[in-house]
Amino acid sequence: MNITIYHNPDCGTSRNTLALIRNTGVEPEIIEYLKHPPSLATLTTLISDAGITVRDAIRQKGTPYVELGLDATHLTDAQLLDAMLVHPILINRPFVVTPNGTRLCRPSELVLDILPLPQKAAFTKEDGEVVIDREGQRVK
């Protein structure tokens, strides 16, 4: 089963997403994108396949977004992508790629929409929110 997560182990959303993937019994390919940033082509494909805009893919909180002037509305997608490649912390996370699609999994339970296998057990996020019940069903 081919599943890839662009992961930041310091991010709770990313950790929860990884745990939901593992809760299906699959060990995904984990790319710590801060250590191994994607290429321009890969980043562009992730954003396009996820059906989001480049601006949607930029993380603002805890990044040099404002300091770099990336909030300027005149900047092109190419300029924003260049900034993301120079400063990978600007890449929002986690992106997950499965045979069923690509998503920016914020919140983490968005990964459930693209996982090819069902959840095997109950799952509670780090903040205590129950996402999967004892029967392996999503809690709404």
Side-chain angles (χ1 to χ4, degrees), residues 24-47:
T24 66
V26 173
E27 182 59 31
E29 176 184 6
I30 300 169
I31 299 173
E32 289 191 35
Y33 70 93
L34 294 177
K35 294 179 182 176
H36 308 284
S39 66
L40 175 59
T42 298
L43 182 58
T44 301
T45 299
L46 288 170
I47 292 168

Side-chain angles (χ1 to χ4, degrees), residues 2 6 11 17 21 34 45 53 64-65 68-69 92 100 104 117 133 136-137:
N2 257 354
Y6 289 82
C11 171
T17 302
I21 295 167
L34 294 177
T45 299
T53 68
Y65 177 81
L68 293 172
N92 216 339
N100 293 346
L104 172 59
L117 296 172
D133 65 20
Q137 299 301 310

Side-chain angles (χ1 to χ4, degrees), residues 42-89:
T42 298
L43 182 58
T44 301
T45 299
L46 288 170
I47 292 168
S48 174
D49 289 355
I52 61 175
T53 68
V54 173
R55 282 214 179 264
D56 291 335
I58 294 179
R59 181 162 176 84
Q60 297 177 26
K61 182 180 171 187
T63 73
Y65 177 81
V66 172
E67 293 86 347
L68 293 172
L70 299 176
D71 53 342
T73 57
H74 70 276
L75 294 176
T76 66
D77 284 353
Q79 290 170 308
L80 296 172
L81 288 164
D82 285 344
M84 294 165 80
L85 295 173
V86 171
H87 305 279
I89 192 68

